[in-house]
Amino acid sequence: AEWGIPVREEEISLEQLLAADEVMLFSTSRCPLAVVSVDGKQIGNGKVGPMARQIWTHHQADVLRICGPVKKA
């Protein structure tokens, strides 16, 4: 909830996953990743949603703040 976004971690069924408005994957080694389909079945409207865009924006700002801008070679 660091960015003012409520967070809940729990196990869900495949049916719950497929019924979600938005799905995202998170890991310590990659950027947040929006999921638009699972096993060929569309999640929500099949597009990156507003929550995923908001999280991506916060993540990119944090990376820039912590690591600084990318230096061109």
Side-chain angles (χ1 to χ4, degrees):
E2 181 177 328
W3 299 321
I5 300 169
V7 176
R8 187 175 72 216
E9 184 177 340
E10 63 185 78
E11 290 186 29
I12 62 171
S13 68
L14 178 58
E15 290 76 23
Q16 289 172 299
L17 178 71
L18 295 173
D21 293 327
E22 292 187 59
V23 173
M24 293 190 72
L25 295 177
F26 297 87
S27 98
T28 56
S29 62
R30 298 199 48 118
C31 297
L33 178 65
V35 177
V36 296
S37 68
V38 174
D39 290 337
K41 296 182 176 98
Q42 182 175 298
I43 302 292
N45 66 5
K47 298 180 181 173
V48 176
M51 185 61 65
R53 291 183 198 283
Q54 182 180 359
I55 289 170
W56 175 258
T57 299
H58 285 297
H59 176 267
Q60 291 301 98
D62 281 356
V63 168
L64 184 61
R65 179 179 50 80
I66 294 166
C67 300
V70 173
K71 295 178 183 169
K72 294 184 180 179

